[in-house]
Amino acid sequence: MQDSNEFISANKIYKLKYPVNWDWDVDPEGKGDALRFFNKNTDGGTLRVTAITLKGKNSEALSIIRDYKKKYKGAKFFKKESVGYLTFIGEALQDDTPLVIYWWYLAKGNYLLIISFTLIKKQFWSKKSREEIKMVKKIVDSIQFLKNR
């Protein structure tokens, strides 16, 4: 991704690249290490990233997302190098506004990243939204885990 900033999570679990015209902040609705990334020049969608460190027995994140595949209709699971990916698209309603939500679950060792990108459904097929979705996919593809546990 050209003209990008690099973000490294506070707990040094992962890093990602995002466009220079985007910004980030702590997600006030999130729990733990939950962040929002967004284009500061438009009122487009919001990319949320939550990092979770699993502890205890059966805390292997990869087996968790494999189990989630059964739960979400149309979900796709694959592995790239040592990272497991689960992706799917869902819908929700917020304050009577229909939304479309792209989801990614990334797993490595005991680390799980839950990533979502939310758009207002009526804007979903606009050219601007389609371009934004392409950019978000590039951001997700840029994610690298920094810890191997």
Side-chain angles (χ1 to χ4, degrees), residues 54-61 63-64 110:
L54 303 169
K55 297 179 181 169
K57 284 187 174 185
N58 301 323
S59 60
E60 174 72 24
S63 64
I64 290 171
N110 288 353

Side-chain angles (χ1 to χ4, degrees), residues 136-147:
V136 166
K137 288 179 178 180
K138 288 180 183 180
I139 294 169
V140 172
D141 286 345
S142 79
I143 293 174
Q144 294 179 340
F145 282 91
L146 301 174
K147 294 187 177 183

Side-chain angles (χ1 to χ4, degrees):
M1 178 184 322
Q2 290 184 321
D3 297 328
S4 62
N5 292 319
E6 184 174 80
F7 173 84
I8 298 175
S9 65
N11 50 15
K12 306 225 181 339
I13 291 176
Y14 69 95
K15 69 179 180 179
L16 60 78
K17 291 182 179 181
Y18 63 97
V20 294
N21 63 328
W22 283 48
D23 205 351
W24 68 273
D25 65 10
V26 175
D27 186 351
E29 298 174 15
K31 296 177 182 168
D33 184 15
L35 304 170
R36 296 184 302 188
F37 292 84
F38 50 92
N39 185 329
K40 52 190 169 184
N41 300 324
T42 69
D43 61 349
T46 302
L47 177 67
R48 288 180 167 81
V49 180
T50 302
I52 299 171
T53 303
L54 303 169
K55 297 179 181 169
K57 284 187 174 185
N58 301 323
S59 60
E60 174 72 24
L62 193 57
S63 64
I64 290 171
I65 68 168
R66 278 190 181 128
D67 290 343
Y68 280 5
K69 183 182 185 302
K70 300 170 194 165
K71 183 178 176 180
Y72 299 109
K73 184 180 176 184
K76 294 179 181 131
F77 173 82
F78 62 94
K79 276 185 83 174
K80 188 164 46 169
E81 297 172 15
S82 61
V83 177
Y85 292 79
L86 181 69
T87 66
F88 58 97
I89 300 172
E91 294 187 12
L93 199 60
Q94 182 178 18
D95 300 327
D96 295 324
T97 303
L99 304 172
V100 175
I101 307 171
Y102 281 74
W103 291 95
W104 296 265
Y105 285 60
L106 278 62
K108 183 173 183 180
N110 288 353
Y111 299 110
L112 176 63
L113 296 181
I114 301 173
I115 303 162
S116 65
F117 181 66
T118 307
L119 289 165
I120 295 173
K121 189 173 183 176
K122 69 179 181 179
Q123 298 171 346
F124 180 69
W125 291 107
S126 73
K127 182 179 178 184
K128 183 182 116 190
S129 292
R130 305 312 301 167
E131 289 171 2
E132 201 170 29
I133 291 165
K134 285 181 187 177
M135 181 56 63
V136 166
K137 288 179 178 180
K138 288 180 183 180
I139 294 169
V140 172
D141 286 345
S142 79
I143 293 174
Q144 294 179 340
F145 282 91
L146 301 174
K147 294 187 177 183
N148 293 316
R149 192 170 57 155

